[in-house]
Amino acid sequence: MKYKLLAASILATLSTTATSATYQLSELGTLEDAKYSYVTDVSESGHIIGFANGLYNLPIDISYIDFTESIIENSYDNTEAAFELSDKEITFTLDDIENNDAVFTNADAHTFMVSFLSSISTNFEYQKLSSLVGIKYNDTQVTEQPIFDVESVDYDGLTRSTTNLFNAVSEDGVTVGWGSAPYNKVSFTPDGDDEAETWFTHEFIERGIVISADGMINVPLEPEFNEYGGTSRANDIVKTNSGYTVVGNMSTSIPDDRQDNIDDNCDNEDEPTSVCINLSSSSFGVFNKRAVKWELDESLNVISVKELGLALTPDEGETEDDAFTSTALAVNSNGTIVGSSNTRYYKNDDTILTMPVYFKDGAVIDFIDQEDDWQAGKSVAINDNEVITGYATKPIEGTLRNKFFYHDIATGSTVFPNDYFSSSSSYGNDINNQGYIVGEGEVGVSDNTRRKEAFIYKIGEDKITNLNDLLPCFDTDGETNYAYTMAEATSINENNEIFGTATKTVEKLDSLGGVVTDVNGEIEYESIAIAVKLTPIANGEVEDCAPPEAEVYERNSASFPWYTLLLLPLVGLRRVFRF
């Protein structure tokens, strides 16, 4: 596990018990106003955090929109055509949205506006929406913890324009994560125009934060270089004798070449400067970023900040032109930190890669052997025995694939265990002190998409075990297929309890939270993501119910678009936003 203290109560060796026993699955609950829920971290003392996605009733501000503009008319025409292809009749017009409050009462109209605004996310003349919120699990209660969002001046409630991610929780419940600043609707007159326009701007792109166990103290982690807001992220926390250690990354400078680009283009004439910075950051990355360690006292006051360095030394020309990044993702109780860093390709110094590393004794150690064709990756977790897990990337059957690994710092050995099949991408997410790694991997290809399922692996064994093989075959009636499929295993504690994300099929709800029916009035169903806990069952027996998919693990390596991995809003979200 990432940084958790050894629990007083530890199960006997899992190799002959838990991996040959069934697990009991229990839901952790779902935020009332959201469709999906996820776990990001669990402390040994039982604090559970995560995030929710797919908020219902996202607030839509139509007061500034000109509904005669071609951009929204074309979007409506496309939506109308999609309805016709589905043998449905569209239930709203743009006039209904503008003048008849349809966006508040008609789920199709609301869905259209949410989709429209999402499709033009880089157009800052339109409202920004985000459906990601940080949550805490407490028994069956799930509560939202806003990070930087504020009450809107245009409608009731929060602006819902911020990204909010919880990444880690300490033994006493102090939480770290990061969020974006809320967007403000401002009036801006472009140079040469007579009429003011509506634009949406915010103060910073992302900022790390530390939140007390009761949620009453919020400590933003300001980057030491904060031009244009700067950036920072907090990815992990561990309780120390004198306070807390938090690790993540922050902006440290802007390369000269990037600054020249900003000076040439972000002149506050055609659009607000903050808009230009956002567009520049999304296109090529504005800031140099470094892995960083913050030390905080018991009252959450920051008492020191230390940059952890890079796995390369930039040349003078590179210092001026290129943005280099390292990030810290986890820290153990010994203070050893893991993450990723830019480094040089062994065949060509001009080629820069991002590889798994660890930070120890002032050094940045890049330990994956590039000569085996590994070209990318991240160290994600480390246990107190100085064993790291994560993933690295290499071409397999003509396509880049990710493979989970473990690395023992003491011996310097790196092992890539056998996973589901040779071209399966797999990820190690957490490791406990007993050497059990949990994660997820691709289990097969169907219709050019790759589905992922959770696994557990014991260091020294030959292959992973699919956690779904350790769950019941049927529900309690003994006939209905088991309702859950474990898609991602995020965390494992010293009791070998596993926390992660499962899917199950439920009645489909629209963007206003109402039940969806088809053209015949029949209720539709959908697969959703839910946060779950798996508890080992003593003396349980594995049931023989291998799904048909288990026989098709080894498939031809089909070519498929990257975005198909995101069609089911499950694994990937945590990885993208945390890393």
Side-chain angles (χ1 to χ4, degrees):
M1 88 206 152
K2 290 196 289 280
Y3 42 81
K4 303 174 180 67
L5 301 177
L6 188 61
S9 175
I10 298 178
L11 292 182
T13 303
L14 186 61
S15 180
T16 57
T17 56
T19 55
S20 61
T22 57
Y23 272 80
Q24 177 182 354
L25 182 150
S26 55
E27 294 189 23
L28 296 177
T30 302
L31 189 67
E32 182 179 1
D33 297 324
K35 180 171 292 190
Y36 310 109
S37 62
Y38 307 82
V39 174
T40 52
D41 194 29
V42 181
S43 74
E44 286 295 332
S45 52
H47 299 93
I48 308 173
I49 61 168
F51 66 91
N53 191 24
L55 293 180
Y56 302 117
N57 292 290
L58 281 172
I60 306 296
D61 179 10
I62 63 172
S63 63
Y64 65 96
I65 297 178
D66 180 356
F67 283 89
T68 66
E69 289 189 350
S70 60
I71 188 173
I72 193 167
E73 287 186 336
N74 291 339
S75 183
Y76 178 83
D77 291 342
N78 292 335
T79 300
E80 187 176 29
F83 268 75
E84 291 175 357
L85 287 174
S86 301
D87 295 324
K88 292 182 179 181
E89 183 176 347
I90 198 164
T91 59
F92 65 94
T93 65
L94 291 180
D95 182 71
D96 289 332
I97 295 176
E98 182 178 13
N99 298 307
N100 298 324
D101 293 334
V103 76
F104 307 112
T105 58
N106 184 311
D108 291 338
H110 184 266
T111 298
F112 165 76
M113 286 302 302
V114 171
S115 177
F116 169 68
L117 293 171
S118 299
S119 70
I120 57 170
S121 59
T122 57
N123 185 333
F124 290 84
E125 295 181 78
Y126 286 87
Q127 178 187 6
K128 301 298 145 203
L129 291 175
S130 175
S131 192
L132 289 168
V133 298
I135 56 177
K136 296 182 177 182
Y137 300 90
N138 185 10
D139 295 328
T140 59
Q141 185 178 13
V142 182
T143 57
E144 177 183 357
Q145 176 72 56
I147 297 181
F148 293 112
D149 208 355
V150 295
E151 294 292 318
S152 172
V153 298
D154 297 303
Y155 40 78
D156 293 337
L158 300 172
T159 70
R160 294 300 183 196
S161 64
T162 63
T163 297
N164 308 273
L165 271 298
F166 280 160
N167 285 330
V169 60
S170 69
E171 292 307 299
D172 56 353
V174 176
T175 304
V176 298
W178 64 271
S180 58
Y183 280 89
N184 300 310
K185 186 168 65 175
V186 300
S187 181
F188 177 82
T189 304
D191 192 45
D193 288 0
D194 296 327
E195 294 185 6
E197 300 173 347
T198 296
W199 287 77
F200 290 82
T201 67
H202 63 178
E203 294 182 7
F204 55 81
I205 298 170
E206 60 189 23
R207 180 79 76 248
I209 195 167
V210 182
I211 300 177
S212 62
D214 60 7
M216 301 302 293
I217 302 175
N218 298 338
V219 181
L221 298 173
E222 295 280 347
E224 294 187 348
F225 181 86
N226 60 6
E227 289 291 321
Y228 312 112
T231 68
S232 66
R233 291 188 178 189
N235 293 323
D236 202 2
I237 182 173
V238 63
K239 184 78 173 67
T240 66
N241 291 332
S242 58
Y244 304 88
T245 297
V246 176
V247 298
N249 71 4
M250 69 177 181
S251 55
T252 57
S253 63
I254 297 178
D256 292 347
D257 183 62
R258 308 296 166 88
Q259 185 63 62
D260 290 343
N261 190 300
I262 291 173
D263 293 339
D264 291 342
N265 295 286
C266 302
D267 52 15
N268 208 49
E269 292 184 359
D270 298 322
E271 70 272 311
T273 297
S274 68
V275 168
C276 185
I277 296 298
N278 270 275
L279 294 173
S280 297
S281 180
S282 62
S283 60
F284 57 74
V286 169
F287 301 100
N288 284 306
K289 300 178 184 179
R290 297 291 183 269
V292 64
K293 176 177 71 174
W294 292 273
E295 297 289 356
L296 289 79
D297 63 20
E298 294 280 359
S299 300
L300 302 185
N301 299 303
V302 177
I303 56 178
S304 71
V305 182
K306 180 181 180 181
E307 293 181 27
L308 301 177
L310 286 167
L312 60 82
T313 301
D315 295 332
E316 182 177 347
E318 291 175 322
T319 304
E320 296 174 351
D321 297 338
D322 300 303
F324 291 105
T325 297
S326 63
T327 189
L329 296 174
V331 56
N332 66 10
S333 62
N334 307 319
T336 305
I337 299 167
V338 302
S340 65
S341 174
N342 287 154
T343 190
R344 299 191 189 280
Y345 185 39
Y346 82 103
K347 290 183 177 180
N348 180 359
D349 280 354
D350 293 332
T351 300
I352 305 301
L353 307 178
T354 300
M355 297 295 290
V357 300
Y358 64 90
F359 307 86
K360 188 173 183 179
D361 299 328
V364 184
I365 311 299
D366 173 8
F367 57 85
I368 297 292
D369 187 356
Q370 292 185 23
E371 292 190 23
D372 287 339
D373 217 9
W374 298 106
Q375 302 176 11
K378 298 179 187 296
S379 299
V380 176
I382 181 170
N383 67 12
D384 293 335
N385 300 317
E386 305 285 270
V387 180
I388 303 166
T389 192
Y391 68 93
T393 307
K394 71 185 301 183
I396 298 176
E397 299 180 14
T399 303
L400 289 175
R401 303 293 187 200
N402 301 311
K403 292 292 184 178
F404 91 97
F405 68 81
Y406 66 88
H407 176 83
D408 189 327
I409 292 178
T411 65
S413 65
T414 304
V415 177
F416 288 86
N418 292 324
D419 52 12
Y420 287 127
F421 57 94
S422 62
S423 66
S424 166
S425 281
S426 56
Y427 307 85
N429 290 333
D430 200 11
I431 179 171
N432 70 8
N433 290 330
Q434 302 166 63
Y436 287 92
I437 297 171
V438 293
E440 73 271 353
E442 295 168 343
V443 295
V445 181
S446 177
D447 297 327
N448 288 336
T449 63
R450 289 182 168 233
R451 190 179 77 257
K452 295 180 181 180
E453 293 188 5
F455 68 76
I456 186 170
Y457 170 83
K458 175 67 169 69
I459 288 179
E461 295 185 354
D462 184 50
K463 61 183 296 185
I464 62 178
T465 298
N466 190 322
L467 282 172
N468 292 292
D469 293 343
L470 307 181
L471 295 176
C473 298
F474 304 102
D475 277 341
T476 53
D477 62 7
E479 298 179 357
T480 306
N481 286 337
Y482 196 61
Y484 304 90
T485 299
M486 281 296 298
E488 177 186 70
T490 304
S491 184
I492 181 170
N493 64 19
E494 294 303 328
N495 291 322
N496 294 314
E497 296 168 327
I498 300 167
F499 300 80
T501 305
T503 62
K504 73 172 183 178
T505 300
V506 298
E507 292 182 351
K508 185 175 183 178
L509 301 183
D510 58 40
S511 64
L512 294 179
V515 176
V516 176
T517 58
D518 61 20
V519 292
N520 298 316
E522 299 291 330
I523 294 176
E524 295 186 4
Y525 292 85
E526 64 181 339
S527 181
I528 65 167
I530 56 170
V532 298
K533 173 183 177 180
L534 300 186
T535 304
I537 301 174
N539 302 317
E541 296 182 0
V542 176
E543 301 179 33
D544 184 13
C545 55
E549 289 86 350
E551 301 175 5
V552 294
Y553 281 168
E554 186 59 64
R555 295 286 190 177
N556 290 330
S557 181
S559 174
F560 63 100
W562 65 269
Y563 55 78
T564 56
L565 295 178
L566 302 178
L567 293 179
L568 189 62
L570 286 173
V571 296
L573 269 177
R574 172 181 173 269
R575 186 168 298 108
V576 167
F577 287 107
R578 182 181 175 197
F579 301 173

